[in-house]
Amino acid sequence: MKKGLGLRSYTIFYLIVLYAPIIILPMFAFNNATTVAFPLQGFTTQWFSEMLANTNLRKALVNSLIVSLSSATLATVLGILAARSAVRYSWPGKGLVMGSIMVPLVLPEMIVAMSLLVLLLAMGIKLSLFTIILGHVLMCMPFAVAILTSAFQTLDKSLEEAALDLGENAWSTFRLIVLPLVMPGIMASFLITFTISIDEFIIANFLGGGEPVLSVFIFTAFRFPATVPPVLALGTMLVAFSIILLTIAEYFRRRGVAKAGGKDSGGFL
Amino acid sequence: MANTPTAETRAGWSLVSVPAVYVLLMLAAPLLLVFGLSFVGLQGGAKVALPLQEGQDLQFTLSNYAKLFCLSASESCSSTDVRMAQATTTAMLRSLFVAALVTLTTVVLAYPVAYYVSFHVAPSKKALWLFLITIPFWTSYVIRVALWRTILGYDGAVDATLGAVGIIDQPLNLLQYGTASIIITLSHAYAPFAVLPIFVSLEKVDHSLLEAGQDLGESRWTTFLRVTLPLSMAGVVAAVLIVFIPTVGDYVTPELIGGGKVPMIANFIETQMWKLRNQSMGAALAVSSMLIVGILALIFVLANRRFLGVRK
């Protein structure tokens, strides 16, 4: 397969370029120099200790955790309702409703953020962490619905019918049969939406009313050369954290596919 | 349980009602409000800054849109209006140009990757490859974009590598070429977006058609051009839209990479809506840019409709 070999080397090269920034990030986070330039100057953990000592950063971290945990939980709960409804029942208007839920995927984020901002201002709602959560749930829901729809689709309907025939009611069937089988999908959805929320910048910046969160902290720090090295240390930890979460999410997704006895056909979406 | 159509409909609707109402309140209502705001103004042409103060009455007006077309000075256009309209037009054209080049780059570079994973990777390994391709996309967008500053900038990775190999003796500092740096950064950031839809459409290609093509005397290359490529065009069209629309509206990259010197349309919308609190003007800008992007997307889909209709 000569043709396959060429394509293979191209794909590997493509992956290396794709990962280049993430590989360069820790190199400079541990680099003993105040400027971010090659050649590297030597190893140091100074930037990590400087970062951990920063009180603004700790505040931002706590805020980010509040926002991301709430957004991921709400988006996943709303996602379960929408995905279950779309997969299990047929009802008029399904295409329109499910399509609308997916719209934030194809709208530029600035449009979503600014329209929400205008609505909140018009209603006189004070901007806070809560308003960031409102926006993040909207942005995260399409991903939750996509993951959970495929989780519910792998579910064998005859299992539910069997439970009903054996005398369980609708709720206990859902709790005893459906929920355990889609649990890996729910975990995957939670982890993915958590990652999206903690990384999201535009809504966090404009709907936060000045409350610091991690992505805004990073954005601001990158504009001033003096604050760049500590923020590279922060970035290294965040990227490592994201990759760990995603790997766990992928594990749950695969386990879900295996549990339902399906064939693994691809990634999250 | 839900055996009659009405009971089934009721069950479906009651489940979906909460997320549906959420989207209605948090997405549909804000978008409608922006649309409405773009057509209103205050007495005497003062800017509309929400929330409205006591005694401010909104009136219907087309002046927000008219100001966007103030490309030369006249009785209705002050010199400030003209400067603003010209700068906005430049930013809009720049956004479209950047997004078009980014889309072309990502889709052309992504196609072989999607093709390789779909046609040459063992089915059990496909999920792993897709996972590897999508990981960078799930890590912080701001961090990835900001890192390109250190790669492209003075004495960054590009300068260091080319210098070490001996191709250049002076640092290039590619960052000084704002638009080019923005295109490179965005092409990198949106790469996985292009791979996934193309991969999905390639997975649906019936391999017996390819064998038939080769049995009938086509070469590998002509089979690809005449069978595989047309059958996967639906994925290419999806990839184009999924990359083009968000990149037109990108805000972070012009700020961090262009240093605010080469603004795109989202930076102008943000300036009006946020910095200047001129929300009806910002709304007109948002509506017009969405309209332009929408029309372009529609033309593109219609131009490719013969590929989209052939799928079973």
Side-chain angles (χ1 to χ4, degrees):
Chain A
M1 274 279 204
K2 194 162 152 283
K3 195 181 167 211
L5 203 67
L7 274 173
R8 187 186 171 85
S9 16
Y10 171 79
T11 304
I12 290 169
F13 179 72
Y14 184 91
L15 274 178
I16 292 171
V17 174
L18 217 52
Y19 278 83
I22 305 178
I23 295 166
I24 284 176
L25 178 64
M27 286 164 64
F28 284 111
F30 289 107
N31 184 31
N32 191 9
T34 45
T35 53
V36 181
F38 283 103
L40 299 173
Q41 299 296 323
F43 183 84
T44 180
T45 51
Q46 177 197 349
W47 309 125
F48 284 87
S49 39
E50 232 177 74
M51 170 197 88
L52 293 171
N54 188 326
T55 45
N56 286 338
L57 177 70
R58 282 197 215 153
K59 180 97 195 315
L61 177 67
V62 172
N63 283 344
S64 270
L65 286 177
I66 295 173
V67 168
S68 307
L69 286 173
S70 325
S71 308
T73 311
L74 288 170
T76 302
V77 169
L78 292 178
I80 291 173
L81 295 174
R84 168 76 174 167
S85 171
V87 174
R88 180 68 175 76
Y89 304 103
S90 67
W91 34 278
K94 192 194 276 185
L96 181 72
V97 172
M98 298 311 283
S100 319
I101 292 177
M102 292 298 176
V103 163
L105 273 185
V106 291
L107 269 185
E109 260 197 282
M110 186 53 90
I111 300 283
V112 177
M114 286 300 142
S115 349
L116 254 178
L117 174 75
V118 165
L119 183 81
L120 295 169
L121 289 175
M123 292 170 67
I125 295 173
K126 202 168 159 293
L127 299 179
S128 63
L129 291 182
F130 175 69
T131 46
I132 302 183
I133 296 171
L134 288 182
H136 277 188
V137 172
L138 188 70
M139 295 301 299
C140 290
M141 228 179 359
F143 293 94
V145 170
I147 295 165
L148 289 161
T149 302
S150 65
F152 278 113
Q153 268 166 354
T154 51
L155 206 66
D156 190 346
K157 203 174 165 180
S158 59
L159 291 175
E160 279 179 65
E161 285 163 358
L164 288 169
D165 287 347
L166 293 170
E168 298 287 348
N169 63 28
W171 168 241
S172 61
T173 306
F174 184 78
R175 195 167 52 84
L176 295 169
I177 307 293
V178 179
L179 211 52
L181 283 174
V182 292
M183 208 47 184
I186 294 174
M187 290 306 295
S189 158
F190 181 83
L191 294 170
I192 293 281
T193 49
F194 182 88
T195 313
I196 293 171
S197 171
I198 209 162
D199 288 340
E200 200 283 337
F201 166 74
I202 290 184
I203 286 171
N205 190 37
F206 295 112
L207 300 187
E211 283 278 355
V213 292
L214 283 179
S215 57
V216 179
F217 183 91
I218 294 169
F219 180 86
T220 318
F222 264 116
R223 303 177 101 184
F224 306 102
T227 47
V228 167
V231 96
L232 291 177
L234 170 65
T236 305
M237 296 183 70
L238 264 183
V239 167
F241 182 63
S242 295
I243 292 177
I244 293 169
L245 280 191
L246 291 167
T247 312
I248 300 172
E250 172 72 5
Y251 166 76
F252 276 119
R253 195 191 59 79
R254 287 189 182 191
R255 219 183 62 173
V257 172
K259 227 177 181 179
K263 187 168 69 79
D264 198 354
S265 56
F268 294 113
L269 295 175
Chain B
M1 44 186 187
N3 285 327
T4 61
T6 47
E8 171 138 358
T9 301
R10 216 178 306 125
W13 272 347
S14 61
L15 269 178
V16 87
S17 58
V18 183
V21 167
Y22 193 86
V23 169
L24 204 63
L25 288 180
M26 295 295 152
L27 188 67
L31 288 176
L32 278 176
L33 179 65
V34 165
F35 185 73
L37 262 181
S38 71
F39 290 103
V40 297
L42 289 169
Q43 193 85 48
K47 68 180 184 183
V48 177
L50 295 170
L52 292 176
Q53 307 299 314
E54 282 291 317
Q56 286 188 326
D57 283 324
L58 293 175
Q59 298 168 335
F60 176 83
T61 174
L62 290 174
S63 69
N64 299 317
Y65 287 101
K67 274 190 188 157
L68 292 177
F69 291 96
C70 278
L71 293 177
S72 59
S74 67
E75 53 208 274
S76 57
C77 295
S78 71
S79 60
T80 330
D81 292 342
V82 174
R83 270 204 304 279
M84 148 84 187
Q86 283 174 343
T88 312
T89 312
T90 312
M92 186 71 221
L93 292 175
R94 180 185 292 129
S95 304
L96 293 174
F97 172 73
V98 165
L101 272 183
V102 169
T103 309
L104 186 71
T105 317
T106 47
V107 172
V108 168
L109 292 181
Y111 197 98
V113 174
Y115 186 89
Y116 172 73
V117 178
S118 176
F119 280 50
H120 292 276
V121 169
S124 59
K125 292 265 171 17
K126 282 181 184 176
L128 178 68
W129 277 87
L130 288 182
F131 183 60
L132 284 176
I133 291 166
T134 38
I135 278 187
F137 160 70
W138 295 108
T139 58
S140 167
Y141 182 62
V142 173
I143 293 177
R144 274 181 295 136
V145 169
L147 283 169
W148 276 97
R149 269 172 84 119
T150 64
I151 293 174
L152 298 171
Y154 188 82
D155 267 350
V158 171
D159 284 356
T161 314
L162 293 181
V165 181
I167 295 175
I168 53 168
D169 47 4
Q170 288 290 316
L172 285 174
N173 188 16
L174 287 173
L175 211 54
Q176 61 183 311
Y177 310 106
T179 311
S181 301
I182 291 176
I183 292 171
I184 295 174
T185 307
L186 282 174
S187 303
H188 184 267
Y190 282 89
F193 275 97
V195 176
L196 289 180
I198 299 174
F199 170 80
V200 170
S201 69
L202 282 171
E203 283 291 277
K204 290 180 186 153
V205 171
D206 186 349
H207 286 227
S208 62
L209 292 176
L210 309 184
E211 284 157 24
Q214 289 187 1
D215 286 349
L216 293 171
E218 300 273 13
S219 71
R220 261 191 173 154
W221 180 239
T222 49
T223 312
F224 171 76
L225 283 184
R226 293 170 64 167
V227 184
T228 317
L229 186 62
L231 284 175
S232 63
M233 271 310 276
V236 174
V237 170
V240 165
L241 295 180
I242 233 168
V243 174
F244 185 78
I245 296 171
T247 42
V248 172
D250 192 78
Y251 169 82
V252 173
T253 307
E255 285 292 311
L256 282 179
I257 297 289
K261 290 190 203 87
V262 275
M264 297 195 355
I265 196 68
N267 307 77
F268 271 71
I269 296 175
E270 181 252 353
T271 305
Q272 293 293 334
M273 287 270 198
W274 180 257
K275 292 204 183 89
L276 303 176
R277 304 269 158 187
N278 190 352
Q279 275 128 10
S280 54
M281 192 63 219
L285 210 50
V287 172
S288 345
S289 49
M290 278 201 291
L291 201 64
I292 292 172
V293 172
I295 290 171
L296 287 176
L298 197 65
I299 292 174
F300 182 75
V301 170
L302 288 178
N304 286 291
R305 68 181 183 283
R306 68 196 181 92
F307 296 120
L308 305 177
V310 295
R311 295 171 55 217
K312 279 190 222 125

